[in-house]
């Protein structure tokens, strides 16, 4: 959905909280918002998309076999109970637990659905959760046939909907099971129901935490085609998202022998779609980035489409000290004219953290000795965050490379999320949310404004205001005189058309004046726009 400026893109990659838009302003310090004590968090944090911040949800799985859905801004549990059982027998057998990889929550397929892929000790199953009510959809989880002995390798991926609303759920599994380890593809009807049995592509060497990602390639006519990039020991296998997995990969991004690729990532557009997807302005396809383990060192690759075919070629590569994390974070937004300026990659390794320019992988800064033990990163705007074993989250300025820490986050497990400036972290003690410092004032426009105003008469002054953290109000002034104020009609509105019915002072002399509209967002930041208007008798 449009307007979800966050690092929680539903379609930007397998891990839903990995890469973000440069439009979302966030900086330290971070102040506590809410926390919920409970069972250990076992999943990356997922934030659903919505145009309004108060409609966004936080989803995560815990070690007691439950999936929790909470309001992003308040932490309040959504639904009549706190937690949906993620196993068929969780209510009668509290001892049931996830497999070693826990549960992986996919982003919402629609505005009100979340798919959860989990290990229940008897194989892999999928359940659906209504994020508006916090309740299970259906009476039982849907099992993955022949999955006993396998575990979920990484986070799921949902493809964009087709014309009939149908889409596909992809996820990787690893281990020894009759279904075969590798990449699974499951059809989903327009009504949200899983269709038939999943198809499987057998891929060797899928590492723990390796997730599929979505990439767009253009065909000869310029039309976008969606591909799913799956990392394995042979490189990156690319499957046409519209075809069955039983066919061989449509393309492969070949890495040097001995390199093990981790979860790849592609930049997003401002509406959350992966770059190159159909949408407003149809931004061009971007690059695909991947960090690979090269014998204890990290090699970062930048792949781009080779001509108008379905192959990827390596456009740049850089080697870093230390083994890579399970993924890298991208702070780069694609626009109709190409990539946004100053795109960045955040690449943590066991030796430190590197900030690279996404355009050519040249180094902005490489910090050593930070204790970043392969933590999964997130990025939004100029802020990057890296998890570190037994230490507070490391915050990285993606423009200059300066580092800081986020106090009180030493127990963070797996990957946090950063959405609307809200940092959500999970630990062995529960979940916690902090509000980062807002650095972006609201956008304000004056549309439909009369060219002339008659003194003594009443007139309606319109303004459009937008802010990813919530619109506050707008104040109109004419020649420095305050005319009126309009407040947002609802709390946490991300965009609003505000208008004030005002009276033009009768004492004003007939001439040209500067009319200003000053918008204030929920954080108190302001932006002013002005127009010249004529006041007449």
């Amino acid at each position: 959905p449009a307007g979800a400026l966050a690092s929680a893109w539903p379609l930007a990659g397998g891990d839903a909280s990995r890469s973000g838009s440069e439009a979302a302003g966030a900086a330290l310090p971070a102040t506590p918002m809410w926390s919920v004590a409970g069972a250990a968090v076992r999943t990356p944090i997922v934030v659903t998309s919505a145009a309004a911040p108060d409609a966004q949800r936080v989803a995560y799985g815990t070690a007691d076999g439950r999936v929790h859905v909470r309001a992003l801004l308040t932490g309040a549990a959504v639904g009549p109970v706190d937690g949906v059982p993620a196993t068929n027998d969780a209510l009668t057998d509290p001892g049931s637990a996830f497999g070693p990889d826990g549960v992986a929550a996919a982003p919402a397929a629609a505005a009100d659905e979340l798919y959860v892929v989990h290990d229940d000790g008897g194989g892999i199953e999928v359940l659906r959760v209504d994020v508006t009510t916090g309740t299970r959809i259906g009476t039982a989880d849907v099992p993955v046939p022949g999955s006993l002995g396998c575990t979920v390798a990484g986070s799921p991926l949902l493809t964009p909907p087709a014309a009939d609303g149908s889409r596909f759920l992809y996820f990787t599994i690893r281990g020894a099971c009759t279904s075969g380890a590798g990449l699974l593809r499951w059809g989903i009807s327009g009504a949200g129901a899983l269709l038939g049995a999943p198809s499987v592509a057998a891929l060797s060497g899928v590492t723990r935490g390796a997730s599929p990602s979505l990439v767009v390639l253009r065909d000869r006519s310029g039309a976008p085609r969606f591909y799913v990039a799956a990392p394995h020991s042979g490189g990156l296998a690319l499957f046409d998202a519209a075809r069955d997995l039983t066919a061989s990969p449509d393309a492969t991004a070949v890495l040097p022998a001995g390199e093990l690729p981790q979860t790849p990532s592609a930049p997003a557009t401002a509406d959350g779609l992966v770059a190159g997807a159909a949408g407003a302005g149809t931004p061009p396809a971007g690059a695909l980035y991947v960090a690979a383990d090269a014998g204890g060192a990290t090699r970062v690759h930048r792949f781009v489409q080779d001509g108008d075919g379905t192959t990827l070629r390596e456009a740049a590569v850089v080697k870093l000290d230390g083994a890579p994390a399970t993924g890298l974070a991208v702070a780069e937004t694609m626009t109709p004219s190409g990539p946004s300026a100053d795109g960045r990659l955040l690449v943590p390794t066991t030796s430190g953290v590197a900030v690279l320019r996404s355009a050519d992988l040249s180094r902005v800064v490489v910090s050593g000795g930070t204790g970043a033990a392969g933590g999964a990163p997130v990025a939004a705007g100029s802020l990057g965050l890296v998890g570190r074993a037994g230490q507070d989250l490391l915050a990285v300025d993606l423009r200059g490379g300066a580092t800081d820490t986020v106090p009180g986050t030493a127990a963070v497990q797996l990957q946090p999320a950063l959405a609307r400036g809200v940092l959500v972290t999970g630990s062995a003690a529960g979940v916690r949310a902090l509000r980062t410092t807002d650095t972006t004032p609201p956008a304000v426009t004056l549309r439909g404004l009369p060219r002339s105003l008659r003194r003594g008469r009443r007139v309606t002054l319109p303004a459009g205001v937008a802010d990813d953290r919530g619109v506050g109000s707008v104040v109109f002034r004419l020649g420095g005189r305050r005319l009126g104020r309009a407040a947002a009609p609802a709390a946490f509105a991300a965009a609003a058309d505000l208008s004030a019915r005002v009276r033009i002072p009768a004492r004003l002399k007939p001439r040209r004046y500067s009319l200003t509209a000053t918008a204030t967002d929920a954080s108190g930041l302001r932006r002013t726009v002005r127009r010249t208007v004529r006041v007449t008798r």
Side-chain angles (χ1 to χ4, degrees), residues 443-445 447 462-467 470-474 486-490 493-499:
V444 55
T445 57
R447 298 192 184 98
V465 184
D467 190 272
V471 171
S473 63
V474 62
D497 292 322
L498 305 181
S499 62

Side-chain angles (χ1 to χ4, degrees), residues 38-43 60-66 68 98 413 426-430:
V41 175
R42 292 286 300 275
T43 72
Y60 58 94
T62 49
D64 59 356
R66 291 180 175 271
H68 303 262
F98 300 133
Q413 300 186 47
S427 72

Side-chain angles (χ1 to χ4, degrees), residues 7 14 49 74 83 146 176 184 192 326 375 399 401 412 475 480 495 504:
S7 64
S49 288
T74 65
L184 274 73
T326 56
R399 296 295 171 259
V412 168
V475 173
I504 305 303

Side-chain angles (χ1 to χ4, degrees), residues 21-22 218 267-270 274-276 280-287 289 302 331-343 358-359:
S21 164
E22 286 189 289
R218 297 282 182 172
T269 56
V274 66
T282 58
Y289 305 96
R302 181 179 188 268
E332 179 182 48
T333 304
M334 297 301 295
T335 68
S337 59
S340 55
D342 297 326
S358 59

Side-chain angles (χ1 to χ4, degrees), residues 318-365:
V318 64
K319 186 176 181 180
L320 303 171
D321 292 335
T326 56
L328 46 75
V330 182
E332 179 182 48
T333 304
M334 297 301 295
T335 68
S337 59
S340 55
D342 297 326
R344 295 289 190 265
L345 300 183
L346 178 61
V347 188
T349 73
T350 52
S351 296
V353 175
V355 178
L356 309 175
R357 291 181 178 86
S358 59
D360 56 9
L361 301 188
S362 61
R363 305 185 187 197
V364 175
V365 66

Side-chain angles (χ1 to χ4, degrees), residues 7 107 132 139 184 187 253 311 336 425 435 471 478 496:
S7 64
T132 61
T139 58
L184 274 73
T311 59
T425 64
R435 169 76 76 177
V471 171
L478 183 63

Side-chain angles (χ1 to χ4, degrees), residues 233-235 254-260 293-295 299:
S233 58
V254 179
L255 278 67
E259 287 194 14
L260 286 175
D293 189 335
R299 284 171 61 91

Side-chain angles (χ1 to χ4, degrees), residues 84-515:
V84 176
T87 56
N88 289 335
D89 58 353
L91 289 176
T92 58
D93 180 11
S96 62
F98 300 133
D101 290 291
V103 61
D112 59 351
E113 289 186 15
L114 187 81
Y115 288 81
V116 179
V117 184
H118 67 89
D119 307 322
D120 69 352
I124 299 171
E125 297 185 320
V126 179
L127 74 99
R128 296 162 61 198
V129 177
D130 187 323
V131 297
T132 61
T133 63
T135 56
R136 175 196 294 271
I137 299 174
T139 58
D141 303 350
V142 180
V144 176
S147 62
L148 182 62
C150 280
T151 59
V152 181
S155 296
L157 167 69
L158 279 166
T159 63
D164 61 358
S166 63
R167 51 176 75 198
F168 292 96
L169 175 69
Y170 286 87
F171 54 95
T172 51
I173 62 174
R174 57 197 300 265
C177 54
T178 56
S179 64
L183 180 67
L184 274 73
R185 173 185 187 261
W186 215 333
I188 299 174
S189 71
L194 293 165
L195 302 175
S199 60
V200 182
L203 299 175
S204 61
V206 176
T207 60
R208 178 170 176 164
S211 306
S213 291
L214 201 64
V215 64
V216 175
L217 301 178
R218 297 282 182 172
D219 61 20
R220 288 180 173 81
S221 68
R225 294 181 64 184
F226 291 93
Y227 288 84
V228 174
H232 65 110
S233 58
L236 289 176
L238 269 68
F239 295 89
D240 188 328
R243 296 179 58 191
D244 194 276
L245 285 182
T246 54
S248 61
D250 296 86
T252 299
V254 179
L255 278 67
E259 287 194 14
L260 286 175
Q262 306 303 309
T263 303
S265 188
T269 56
D271 59 4
L273 291 174
V274 66
T282 58
L288 185 68
Y289 305 96
V290 62
D293 189 335
T298 297
R299 284 171 61 91
V300 182
H301 301 265
R302 181 179 188 268
F303 292 102
V304 297
Q305 183 171 359
D306 190 5
D308 56 4
T310 59
T311 59
L312 293 176
R313 63 176 175 85
E314 186 180 82
V317 62
V318 64
K319 186 176 181 180
L320 303 171
D321 292 335
T326 56
L328 46 75
V330 182
E332 179 182 48
T333 304
M334 297 301 295
T335 68
S337 59
S340 55
D342 297 326
R344 295 289 190 265
L345 300 183
L346 178 61
V347 188
T349 73
T350 52
S351 296
V353 175
V355 178
L356 309 175
R357 291 181 178 86
S358 59
D360 56 9
L361 301 188
S362 61
R363 305 185 187 197
V364 175
V365 66
V366 177
S367 302
T370 59
V378 295
S382 61
L383 179 63
L385 295 162
V386 178
R388 305 181 296 172
Q391 300 183 56
D392 288 332
L393 281 174
L394 182 72
V396 183
D397 180 352
L398 299 180
R399 296 295 171 259
T403 60
D404 201 350
T405 57
V406 184
T409 57
V412 168
Q413 300 186 47
L414 299 173
Q415 181 177 283
L418 183 62
R420 307 277 189 187
V422 180
L423 170 61
V424 187
T425 64
S427 72
V431 68
R432 182 178 183 224
L434 303 94
R435 169 76 76 177
T436 62
T437 302
D438 192 357
T439 61
T440 305
V444 55
T445 57
L446 289 170
R447 298 192 184 98
L449 189 69
R451 293 185 177 180
S452 62
L453 305 172
R454 296 185 65 178
R455 62 184 187 181
R457 296 293 182 90
R458 290 192 172 275
V459 63
T460 298
L461 300 179
V465 184
D467 190 272
D468 65 309
R469 300 202 192 188
V471 171
S473 63
V474 62
V475 173
F476 297 95
R477 288 182 173 86
L478 183 63
R481 298 169 180 260
R482 176 167 168 153
L483 296 181
R485 175 181 180 273
F492 310 119
D497 292 322
L498 305 181
S499 62
R501 186 73 174 170
V502 303
R503 181 177 179 273
I504 305 303
R507 70 185 75 177
L508 290 179
K509 295 181 179 180
R511 62 178 178 85
R512 292 184 179 275
Y513 290 86
S514 176
L515 176 69

